[in-house]
Each structure stands twice: as structure tokens, then as C-alpha cells.
Amino acid sequence: MKRRLFTTGAIATMALAGCATRGRFLRYDGPEVTSVVVNKGARSLYLLNHNDVLRHYKVDLGFAPVGHKQIEGDGRTPEGSYLIDRRNPNSDFHLSLGISYPNSTDRARARAMGKSPGGDIFIHGQPVGYRPNGRDWTAGCIAVQDTEIEEIYAMVRDGTLITLRA
């Protein structure tokens, strides 16, 4: 009787494990990501280990993608070198990695115009209920698919250099 109960329980546990979905927090034990490069013109993001491309992703950018972000609300994605400086596992956009925009130069440029440089620039996934209706829909962030941000989130560490090019 005990053996049958144990066997039934073990089978039920294995069946439930087989139905489990993949979590959004992946593990990565490959080569270190030493830098991230975003080519805005090509709408591409690259994860690099020194000079070797580890991964490549197609991206969406700010709704006004041409030019460097100047001020809050301009819809542009920054250009230049920054750091990945934070992560948000509770993002409204699945998962997100923060970019250290604005730097002192960005703040000074915006202040000279009497404006705020804005902030909260992230690499992120899609919002809940997202329905694509064209490219370049963010307020200045870099957007990828949810499965892609899961991979990026696992691979990229805080402090990683990110370079955003025109």
C-alpha cells in the first residue's frame, strides 16, 4: 500500500514538473559579456566578449530615433558610452537593465537649454498586452522580445560598458 502511494505521488510530481514553464530568470555560464554595443541605424544590439560577438538582437528604439537624446520627452535614444548600472526584475516591461544616462555632459547640455535631460533609460522587454504597430515605439529605451531580455538579463552584469552609436 505504501509503495503504491509513493509511486503514485512520484508519477504525479514528475508529470507536474514536465508541465512547468521556463522561468524568466535564466542562468548563464558562458564567456563574460565585456561590453554591449547598440547600432541605432541598424536597429541592432550586440553582446561582446572583447572582440567576439556572443549574441545579436534586433531592437526597437525611441519614437524619434535619429540623434542623441537631449532632453526629457524628446523620444530619442541616447548615443555615447554609459554603464549598465541597475536591473529591475519587476519591470512593467518584463525585465529591464538600466543605462547610466544622463552623465555629467548630458546634464550640462540640458541645463544650458533650461531643460531636464530625462533619465530612466533601459534595455527592456515588452509591456503586458503589447501589440506591435511599427518600429521605434519607446520613450528612448532599447526594446527587445521578452525571451531575448531574459537572455540579456542573465548574461550582462552591472558595471558592463554599453556603447550606443548612431
Side-chain angles (χ1 to χ4, degrees):
M1 181 68 170
K2 288 182 182 179
R3 180 178 271 164
R4 188 182 330 199
L5 185 58
F6 174 78
T7 302
T8 303
I11 291 171
T13 300
M14 288 188 293
L16 287 174
C19 294
T21 59
R22 174 181 102 125
R24 62 186 182 146
F25 298 107
L26 305 179
R27 297 178 72 88
Y28 176 72
D29 63 359
E32 175 188 11
V33 174
T34 56
S35 64
V36 177
V37 174
V38 175
N39 182 322
K40 289 172 51 176
R43 303 299 189 279
S44 294
L45 181 148
Y46 303 90
L47 301 184
L48 303 175
N49 173 267
H50 302 289
N51 293 323
D52 296 328
V53 175
L54 300 174
R55 300 283 195 283
H56 166 250
Y57 307 93
K58 292 312 248 177
V59 300
D60 289 328
L61 302 170
F63 61 82
V66 177
H68 175 60
K69 184 164 193 61
Q70 302 284 315
I71 58 172
E72 184 172 16
D74 66 7
R76 293 181 178 158
T77 300
E79 295 173 1
S81 293
Y82 300 92
L83 295 175
I84 299 299
D85 65 351
R86 62 201 181 279
R87 52 191 58 238
N88 184 357
N90 300 310
S91 173
D92 290 339
F93 298 88
H94 194 61
L95 294 170
S96 59
L97 295 173
I99 298 171
S100 64
Y101 174 89
N103 60 28
S104 58
T105 303
D106 298 320
R107 285 190 292 277
R109 184 183 303 116
R111 189 171 36 251
M113 292 187 275
K115 305 281 185 174
S116 166
D120 286 338
I121 302 297
F122 288 86
I123 301 169
H124 61 66
Q126 308 298 315
V128 174
Y130 174 71
R131 301 281 187 265
N133 60 349
R135 297 192 68 81
D136 301 329
W137 56 270
T138 77
C141 295
I142 297 119
V144 294
Q145 298 298 311
D146 288 348
T147 55
E148 295 169 336
I149 191 59
E150 290 171 3
E151 193 171 80
I152 295 165
Y153 196 91
M155 293 176 73
V156 176
R157 299 284 156 241
D158 289 357
T160 302
L161 176 69
I162 179 169
T163 304
L164 300 107
R165 300 180 179 150

